[in-house]
Amino acid sequence: MSKSRFATALKALAAVVPVLAAATGLALSPAAQADAWPAKPIKLVVPYPPGGAADAVARLYADKLSERLKQPVVVDNKPGAGTAIAAEFVAKAPADGYTLSLVPTGQLTVLPHLSKTLRFDPFASFAPVSLLASTAVVIAANGTVPVHSVKEVVALARAKPGQVSYSSSGSGTIIHLAGENFRLATGADLLHVPFKGSAPAVAALLSGDVNLSFDTLTVLAPQIKAGKVKGIAIASRERSPLLPNVPTVAEAGYPDFEVVSWFGLAAPAATPKEIVARLNAEVVAIARQPGVKESLAAQGLEPWTTTPEQFAQRIKADYAKYGQVVKASGATFD
């Protein structure tokens, strides 16, 4: 065979090999996958229905990622089972960078302590990408409940043990554990009423179906500002500019009480490191874009980005922290 014919044959073979690989299901190397990624829309799974803080963070970053990656990033709300439904879905998804998870604090740090039937591992099932944002937890009361301060909430709960109810966005969430932590710190015997997301939990507060609600600034600040519910306290070290007249729980005499709710981005375990690194770089760049900080601040959120390794460390630290709260409180997965 002449050199020219040999070269032509090699070119033909080079063109055919990728087609054969696709047709026979041969896997590309991680590096090759990363080079080709993204070549189609990406799904961002959120463990709550639309309307809460997690959904707001997801949609902000999804829109920005869509612009930067030149592919649609579609938010897919999968609420239920204390965020387990969404986590299990992502854990079982192909590790190709086309299914991502919006991770709220409690999903990997609280829920595993409450349920023994989870079909995912908080450390082995996911590849952490970065933290995205954080916010403080707020305590609010229905307007008909005769309380205006932490002291009055505690007094009422002690006078009517087990009768003063509080709603949360679901069992196993950081909001649930905020309530349990409050019970431990103050001795207030509160009744937990979980819902599938922040929207129905706050709706129950507005209607008077529950007395109190623990949720984030993102969710409760607009209701408090509008006078629809009463702001009792905020679980941060300092008062929030969004609610300057709402005192901290520390001001009420519980100096060590602080609950920070964070949201992060993760992918299924074994997602190519190159894709994880690309996602991390994009997220960090988005957090620095003009207007992003302001958009988050308007909802009571702050941008908070990390390396994948730092996010993994935060998960492990909070897993240990909230494990102690679960054990001390006797909290269960309702």
Side-chain angles (χ1 to χ4, degrees):
M1 181 182 293
S2 67
K3 288 184 179 180
S4 61
R5 289 184 178 180
F6 183 71
T8 301
L10 282 179
K11 289 181 180 179
L13 181 61
V16 170
V17 166
V19 177
L20 289 175
T24 58
L26 294 177
L28 296 175
S29 69
Q33 290 183 50
D35 288 341
W37 182 91
K40 62 181 182 180
I42 298 167
K43 181 181 294 184
L44 177 54
V45 178
V46 179
Y48 300 113
D55 187 68
V57 172
R59 293 182 186 278
L60 173 63
Y61 277 92
D63 288 345
K64 298 296 184 179
L65 280 170
S66 296
E67 295 173 3
R68 297 182 65 87
L69 297 176
K70 309 303 180 184
Q71 287 288 347
V73 179
V74 182
V75 173
D76 184 8
N77 299 92
K78 291 187 179 297
T83 75
I85 290 175
E88 291 171 359
F89 178 87
V90 175
K92 296 176 182 177
D96 56 9
Y98 292 103
T99 303
L100 305 176
S101 178
L102 190 288
V103 182
T105 319
Q107 188 179 65
L108 303 183
T109 66
V110 178
L111 187 59
H113 295 291
L114 297 176
S115 176
K116 305 301 181 184
T117 60
L118 298 179
R119 292 187 290 274
F120 68 87
D121 183 280
F123 309 118
S125 297
F126 304 95
V129 174
S130 175
L131 284 167
L132 301 176
S134 64
T135 185
V137 170
V138 181
I139 307 169
N142 178 272
T144 63
V145 181
V147 296
H148 298 85
S149 66
V150 168
K151 182 178 179 180
E152 291 177 352
V153 168
V154 173
L156 181 63
R158 288 177 177 174
K160 298 181 178 181
Q163 297 181 50
V164 179
S165 58
Y166 77 91
S167 65
S168 81
S169 54
S171 294
T173 63
I174 187 62
I175 303 302
H176 174 200
L177 261 288
E180 294 304 309
N181 204 4
F182 183 83
R183 290 202 311 119
L184 287 173
T186 65
D189 187 0
L190 302 176
L191 173 65
H192 176 224
V193 183
F195 289 85
K196 292 183 178 181
S198 293
V202 174
L205 176 67
L206 292 171
S207 66
D209 289 339
V210 295
N211 306 123
L212 308 170
S213 186
F214 286 74
D215 216 309
T216 62
L217 271 170
T218 303
V219 175
L220 288 176
Q223 307 297 338
I224 294 170
K225 285 183 174 181
K228 295 180 179 180
V229 297
K230 293 181 287 189
I232 301 300
I234 183 170
S236 55
R237 294 295 182 185
E238 299 177 353
R239 296 192 183 196
S240 168
L242 285 180
L243 298 172
N245 296 323
V246 176
T248 66
V249 179
E251 289 179 63
Y254 304 95
D256 297 326
F257 191 89
E258 181 182 23
V259 182
V260 175
S261 176
W262 49 255
F263 304 100
L265 183 68
T271 297
K273 292 182 179 180
E274 294 85 356
I275 292 178
V276 172
R278 171 76 184 281
L279 281 167
N280 179 268
E282 298 294 354
V283 163
V284 171
I286 288 169
R288 294 172 178 169
Q289 285 183 348
V292 170
K293 182 177 181 179
E294 290 74 15
S295 295
L296 291 172
Q299 303 179 71
L301 294 158
E302 295 182 5
W304 185 12
T305 57
T306 61
T307 65
E309 294 75 19
Q310 289 170 334
F311 185 20
Q313 291 169 2
R314 180 74 192 199
I315 292 170
K316 291 180 179 179
D318 281 358
Y319 176 88
K321 172 184 176 179
Y322 292 116
Q324 294 177 351
V325 175
V326 170
K327 183 177 181 180
S329 67
T332 60
F333 187 70
D334 299 326

